[in-house]
Structures are given as C-alpha cells and as structure tokens.
Amino acid sequence: FKLLGFLDVKNVPCARESILYGSVGSFVVGLGHFVATSRVRRSCDFAVGSFVCTMLGYWFYCRYNYAQHRIRQRMIREGMKNKLLFEGSSLDPERKQTSNERSNS
C-alpha cells in the first residue's frame, strides 16, 4: 500500500519496519507520559514527536545497514567473477602462492 500517496511501503526497503517501530515507540512514549502526568494533549504531542524521532532514527539505521550489505554483496560478486576469470591463469593468486611455496621448500 502507499502511505500518504507517494511512499510505497511494500517496495521501499526499510519503510515498513520504520513505520512499525515508530508506531510502537509513539504508543509507549505517549502512554507512559499520560500515565505519569494525566495530560492528554501533551501526551499526544509526545507521542507524535516520538513517532517521528523513532521512525527517522530507525530509517537511517536500517538504510545504513542496507547500504553496507549491498557493498558487501557487490564485493563478493566481483570477487567470484574475478576468481572464475583468473582461475588457472598466470594471474591466479592461489597459483602464485603455491608456486612460491614450492620454490621456498
């Protein structure tokens, strides 16, 4: 579904989790503030503020981890491609190590 008409929660990475964590955080903070002070309007203000802070905080955390994961995947993919490309040739790093070990023995 689309949130606010433009954010496709199903296809955007980290959007669903961010909204869920934000809503749980807002509920906890709003309820906690209401139990402590019994002020409804102020508790709703705290709930909205905590929703925004929690959602944005988790959004940045999740996107950072997602970017790191994609970088690691790209490095592994390139390494596998290079291994297939250079395997058995004179540029193969494993072949150089074995030939150096043989000459040292």
Side-chain angles (χ1 to χ4, degrees):
F1 72 96
K2 290 190 178 193
L3 184 68
L4 300 175
F6 63 90
L7 180 61
D8 192 9
V9 177
K10 183 179 175 183
N11 294 327
V12 176
C14 301
R16 178 180 177 268
E17 292 85 7
S18 298
I19 292 170
L20 289 175
Y21 280 121
S23 62
V24 169
S26 70
F27 178 75
V28 168
V29 170
L31 185 65
H33 190 271
F34 177 74
V35 168
T37 63
S38 298
R39 296 174 66 189
V40 176
R41 183 180 172 119
R42 185 89 170 160
S43 298
C44 289
D45 292 342
F46 270 85
V48 169
S50 68
F51 173 77
V52 170
C53 290
T54 306
M55 186 182 73
L56 288 177
Y58 188 76
W59 172 267
F60 288 121
Y61 170 76
C62 184
R63 292 299 290 194
Y64 178 75
N65 286 338
Y66 182 72
Q68 281 185 334
H69 181 70
R70 289 190 61 190
I71 289 169
R72 276 189 242 115
Q73 280 182 334
R74 189 178 317 124
M75 288 174 56
I76 290 171
R77 195 177 313 120
E78 289 175 5
M80 289 172 60
K81 183 179 74 173
N82 288 340
K83 179 158 177 65
L84 290 174
L85 191 68
F86 296 131
E87 189 172 29
S89 70
S90 62
L91 299 174
D92 188 9
E94 291 179 9
R95 185 173 176 187
K96 285 184 181 180
Q97 289 175 357
T98 57
S99 64
N100 287 339
E101 289 173 2
R102 288 182 191 154
S103 64
N104 290 339
S105 298

